[in-house]
């Protein structure tokens, strides 16, 4: 296992490159400056975790680099295209077709079954490819072990199954980057483990993942962990590829590193 404190650099090119990201909310008096000039590059296939104390700006950063919100200053490039120059319509097209999202809550429609909840946004993104989208969704349901509940109502399945369904929904359009904001935040330890195993599979299948979490055990699964304080990246650590047999060693190392940062 390699653990280094070196930045991962951008030698291989990045799928996502955020530079000089600042965010000020003008909805409060005085306005709140929440992000203070963040640079973050994510390489294709990389699993990046963002950590930091509550209120340090993790969610705001995730929203600003995923096209859910706009930074006040700075650029966000997806495959070299500057998203901050896009209008709202272009931005929602990019979100729908090229980004995947997982939140703490699944936000599924109660009147649709699990499979239709997953299909709906993918069909909106790719309306002329119904058969292909359906085949992909069925493969994802199988991949994440929830094909047997495909026709169940979303209120009839467990929290872990629902979150695995959110992963399927997020991957149904084959996004360039999967963003996850505290995806295990509402789950107990064993369910959290189940969802993290699924996210490790997502990463192993080649998807680029950027995840916010406050759980060191979840963060230990990532290739690298970035630490935020007061809207700035203060440090990052490269953990290398996750292996189950090194899980305790990684968690212990990461805990020490986090404590050094006052976590
Ligand atoms: P984290 O995810 O690290 O807990 P957030 O990004 O949610 O932190 O929030 C960072 C800071 O920005 C907090 O102080 C929060 O109150 C503030 N903030 C977040 N969203 C808004 C908003 N829409 N308007 C005003 N302040 C906000
Ligand atoms: Mg948050």
């Amino acid at each position: 296992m390699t653990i280094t404190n070196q930045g991962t650099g951008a030698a291989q090119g990045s799928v996502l490159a955020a530079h000089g990201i600042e965010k000020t909310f003008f909805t409060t008096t005085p306005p709140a400056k929440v992000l203070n000039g963040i640079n973050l590059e994510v390489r294709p296939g990389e699993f990046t975790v963002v950590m930091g104390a509550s209120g340090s700006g993790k969610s705001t950063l995730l929203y600003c680099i995923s096209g859910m919100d706009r930074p006040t200053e700075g650029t966000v490039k997806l495959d070299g295209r500057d998203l901050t120059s896009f209008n709202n319509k272009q931005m929602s097209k990019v979100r729908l077709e090229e980004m995947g999202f997982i939140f703490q809550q699944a936000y599924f429609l109660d009147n649709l079954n699990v499979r239709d909840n997953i299909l709906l946004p993918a069909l909106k993104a790719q309306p002329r490819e119904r058969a292909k989208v359906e085949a992909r969704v069925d493969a994802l349901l199988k991949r994440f072990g929830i094909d047997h509940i495909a026709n169940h109502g979303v209120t009839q399945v467990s929290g872990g199954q629902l979150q695995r369904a959110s992963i399927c929904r997020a991957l149904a359009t084959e996004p360039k980057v999967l963003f996850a904001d505290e995806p295990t935040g509402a789950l107990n330890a064993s369910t959290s483990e189940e969802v993290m195993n699924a996210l490790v599979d997502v990463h192993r299948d080649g998807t680029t993942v950027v995840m916010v979490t406050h759980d060191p055990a979840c963060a230990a699964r990532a290739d690298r962990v970035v630490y935020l304080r007061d809207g700035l990246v203060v440090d990052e650590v490269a953990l290398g590829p996750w292996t189950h047999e090194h899980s305790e060693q990684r968690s212990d190392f990461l805990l020490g590193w986090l404590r050094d940062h006052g976590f």
Side-chain angles (χ1 to χ4, degrees):
M1 181 176 61
T2 49
I3 290 175
T4 66
N5 250 342
Q6 250 71 75
T8 44
Q12 283 174 252
S14 45
V15 58
L16 189 72
H19 284 128
I21 301 301
E22 296 180 12
K23 179 69 178 180
T24 303
F25 291 107
F26 294 98
T27 43
T28 55
T29 319
K33 191 162 183 216
V34 170
L35 301 179
N36 292 298
I38 287 184
N39 301 319
L40 183 68
E41 300 213 358
V42 178
R43 290 183 294 180
E46 196 169 43
F47 184 175
T48 301
V49 151
V50 179
M51 295 193 83
S54 176
S56 57
K58 303 180 296 294
S59 294
T60 306
L61 175 64
L62 201 76
Y63 300 158
C64 284
I65 62 176
S66 64
M68 298 233 309
D69 198 355
R70 292 174 183 278
T72 315
E73 292 291 337
T75 57
V76 179
K77 289 187 177 164
L78 179 69
D79 277 343
R81 291 161 298 154
D82 184 0
L83 298 186
T84 51
S85 71
F86 282 22
N87 64 31
N88 287 348
K89 199 175 159 201
Q90 293 170 312
M91 199 91 118
S92 39
K93 193 168 145 69
V94 167
R95 273 199 310 268
L96 190 63
E97 295 175 1
E98 301 183 60
M99 310 293 210
F101 297 94
I102 308 170
F103 303 97
Q104 195 167 325
Q105 302 293 332
Y107 301 114
F108 281 128
L109 300 171
D110 280 353
N111 56 332
L112 295 182
N113 66 27
V114 170
R115 184 174 182 270
D116 287 342
N117 264 291
I118 296 168
L119 266 178
L120 196 70
L123 287 174
K124 190 162 184 250
Q126 295 159 348
R128 282 181 296 274
E129 299 183 60
R130 184 165 194 115
K132 218 166 127 186
V133 171
E134 290 205 34
R136 195 185 301 137
V137 164
D138 289 333
L140 284 167
L141 286 164
K142 220 175 188 147
R143 174 79 175 104
F144 294 102
I146 50 169
D147 46 326
H148 62 293
I149 54 143
N151 298 317
H152 289 213
V154 291
T155 54
Q156 300 168 284
V157 305
S158 74
Q161 288 171 328
L162 212 55
Q163 207 53 319
R164 279 186 280 154
S166 325
I167 293 175
C168 295
R169 178 179 56 185
L171 294 179
T173 53
E174 300 184 304
K176 295 213 169 77
V177 186
L178 175 67
F179 296 94
D181 191 0
E182 308 267 12
T184 63
L187 305 175
N188 63 33
S190 72
T191 314
S192 171
E193 169 103 16
E194 167 192 329
V195 170
M196 278 317 300
N197 287 339
L199 280 170
V200 167
D201 288 341
V202 169
H203 166 53
R204 284 193 178 142
D205 290 349
T207 303
T208 309
V209 181
V210 180
M211 176 177 87
V212 167
T213 183
H214 60 253
D215 184 341
C218 295
R221 313 283 178 119
D223 296 328
R224 87 202 254 231
V225 179
V226 170
Y227 198 83
L228 285 198
R229 184 180 299 123
D230 299 331
L232 272 173
V233 174
V234 292
D235 199 6
E236 77 165 79
V237 63
L239 298 173
W242 158 264
T243 55
H244 204 75
E245 67 263 32
H246 290 125
S247 63
E248 259 181 59
Q249 197 189 341
R250 282 169 82 100
S251 292
D252 289 349
F253 171 82
L254 187 61
L255 266 177
W257 183 80
L258 289 167
R259 287 210 187 97
D260 288 344
H261 290 294
F263 186 76

